[in-house]
Structure formats: C-alpha cells, structure tokens
Amino acid sequence: MNSIACVSLFKTGLLSSYRDRSMLITDLVIATGIPFFIQFAVWTFVYEGARADELPGYSLDEMYLYYICVLALGRFNNAYDLVMDVSEHVRQGQLESFFVKPLSYLSYHFYIFLGGASLYFIPLVVIAVYMGFTGTGWVGPLGFLGLSVLNLVLCFIVGFLMSLAAFWLTKSDMIISFQVVLSSVVGGTLLPLSYWPETIKPFMQYNPFRLFISGPAEFLLRPSMALGVELLLLFIVWFVLIYGACSIFYKLACVRYSSVGG
C-alpha cells in the first residue's frame, strides 16, 4: 500500500474539516450544544418527578455525562460526507478516475474519512481527561478512547455499505436520512440501553450502531471486563459480516455502474 498516498488523503480529510470552520463550529457548538441542553432540561424534569427506584441505570449526573458522550460520539462517527461523496461520484460518472489511483476506492475513502473525523476526536479526549482526573480512575477513560477509535473503523464500513445503495438510487437523501435515524434511535442517542423495554433490549444491545454511539459511553460510565469483552466481540462479528457484505455489493455495484463509453 502506498503510504505517501495514505498520508496525503488523511491530510486532505483533515484540512477539509479544518478549513470549513463554519461547519466545524456548527457541529461542535450548535449541533452538539443545543441537543445537550434539551436533554439536560428533559432529564432534570424527569428525575425531579420520579423516585430513584423508578429509573433504571444511571444517576442524574451520569445521565448528563452519557448525553455529552453520545452527542460527541455522534459527531465523531458521522458518515454523512462519505455517503454524499460516493453518491456524487456515481451520479456524475467519475469512478473511472478512482480506478487508476494507487489505492482501492474503499481505501481512498477510508483515509479521507479518518482525516475528516480527527478534529472531532478532540472533544472525546477532553471528556476522557476530565473523567480521568475527577472519576475513579483511568480504566474507563482509556477504554472509552480506545473503543471510540476502534469503532470509527466500523462506522466507516457501515457508512460505505450504505453508500453503495447510490448505485441503484438516483440520489442519496434517503440513505442519509436512514443512517441518521438508525444512529439516533438504535445507536443509543435517543435513550440509554437500560431504559428500553425488555422485549426490545436484545436488538438495542447487539446492533452495530450501539458500538460507535452508546457503547464507548457505557464503558466510560461503568467500566468492566464483561462489558469490554462484549463490545470487542460485537465489533469483531459485525466487522467481519459488514466487510464481507461490502465486498459482495461493491462487486455487484461495479457491474451495474456505467459511464461514458461504459
């Protein structure tokens, strides 16, 4: 693999996020801050009006921290640009130029995706450092950061698989909306795992979106060997399944794709 090309693509993704400062500020301040204050108001009201034994899982302070984490993770694990880029390449018939590059089409998007996400890793580091100095130790914060980085790879694979639908659809709007809904609902942004009914909990616990949204937050709040092993095993299973699906559907998509003279 061409390491120079990988570094160049990573820098391209990083600079594209850094130079678009208005979007960066919007993502970090408005898109993260406003939803948190909404959750802050809602859960303050809920906890003030309920007995402690009526609310499963977390204390009010832990709930605040949970939503800070999942909202920051939601910005870090965001495949919006990936889906848009693949859709535009397909719609405008630009894939031929990527087939002659020193990296595969998957690798090309992967390093740009990593670079674009790198600035959004800073809030996660701030959260981890704060918890390390004010909490009960560094196991939770270090595990939180490790799981966040590891599951960024899974987020990319899931996003790339969803983006392949662009080969069969005219535009990517439906794919992006579907991804946002899945991340918000089954990823754990809407409610923590412990607050879902028992009949739905297995689906909420074992779906891949939990891994890169609520999973690291759960480990930060309640670190344990059992939870760490569960999340790592889920990552391995889902990575193998989704990567295999990507390989199959990408080959089918290339057969379907046609451009000028193709």
Side-chain angles (χ1 to χ4, degrees):
M1 183 177 290
N2 191 323
S3 58
I4 296 177
C6 296
V7 173
S8 297
L9 290 171
F10 180 90
K11 289 172 60 178
T12 299
L14 171 62
L15 292 175
S16 66
S17 294
Y18 174 73
R19 288 174 178 169
D20 191 0
R21 292 182 181 86
S22 60
M23 182 57 71
L24 184 63
I25 293 172
T26 299
D27 281 344
L28 293 177
V29 178
I30 299 176
T32 302
I34 292 178
F36 171 73
F37 282 111
I38 293 173
Q39 295 289 353
F40 178 89
V42 168
W43 288 104
T44 300
F45 175 79
V46 169
Y47 272 77
E48 285 178 351
R51 300 193 313 268
D53 59 353
E54 293 177 331
L55 298 171
Y58 303 128
S59 67
L60 181 57
D61 289 341
E62 288 176 325
M63 187 63 75
Y64 292 154
L65 183 59
Y66 174 84
Y67 276 103
I68 290 174
C69 290
V70 296
L71 290 170
L73 286 164
R75 305 315 303 165
F76 180 59
N77 292 289
N78 189 344
Y80 177 92
D81 288 339
L82 170 63
V83 175
M84 286 291 294
D85 288 345
V86 173
S87 177
E88 284 300 299
H89 294 162
V90 174
R91 191 169 65 86
Q92 297 182 11
Q94 298 176 338
L95 288 185
E96 291 85 347
S97 62
F98 294 94
F99 292 155
V100 298
K101 292 184 181 297
L103 297 176
S104 67
Y105 191 60
L106 179 72
S107 298
Y108 168 84
H109 282 293
F110 176 66
Y111 288 103
I112 288 184
F113 180 79
L114 287 184
S118 58
L119 287 178
Y120 294 97
F121 188 62
I122 296 174
L124 303 184
V125 174
V126 172
I127 293 170
V129 170
Y130 170 79
M131 286 298 295
F133 283 110
T134 62
T136 58
W138 286 92
V139 174
L142 292 177
F144 169 73
L145 292 179
L147 289 169
S148 299
V149 173
L150 183 65
N151 290 307
L152 180 66
V153 178
L154 184 63
C155 176
F156 168 78
I157 295 296
V158 171
F160 189 78
L161 177 61
M162 296 181 71
S163 74
L164 294 179
F167 285 84
W168 286 268
L169 301 174
T170 304
K171 288 190 176 182
S172 60
D173 303 62
M174 186 183 76
I175 312 168
I176 293 172
S177 299
F178 188 54
Q179 182 229 343
V180 170
V181 170
L182 288 175
S183 297
S184 299
V185 179
V186 304
T189 306
L190 182 63
L191 281 174
L193 175 64
S194 58
Y195 282 77
W196 288 93
E198 292 298 327
T199 53
I200 303 177
K201 272 187 181 179
F203 174 71
M204 301 302 299
Q205 184 173 1
Y206 299 119
N207 78 84
F209 289 89
R210 177 205 176 197
L211 290 173
F212 47 83
I213 300 295
S214 66
E218 293 170 26
F219 191 85
L220 176 65
L221 293 172
R222 303 283 176 84
S224 69
M225 179 66 73
L227 179 58
V229 171
E230 176 188 334
L231 295 175
L232 288 174
L233 288 177
L234 278 175
F235 169 82
I236 294 170
V237 171
W238 278 115
F239 180 83
V240 171
L241 291 175
I242 296 173
Y243 187 81
C246 279
S247 300
I248 294 170
F249 281 101
Y250 181 65
K251 291 177 182 178
L252 295 174
C254 289
V255 172
R256 179 180 174 80
Y257 175 75
S258 62
S259 183
V260 177

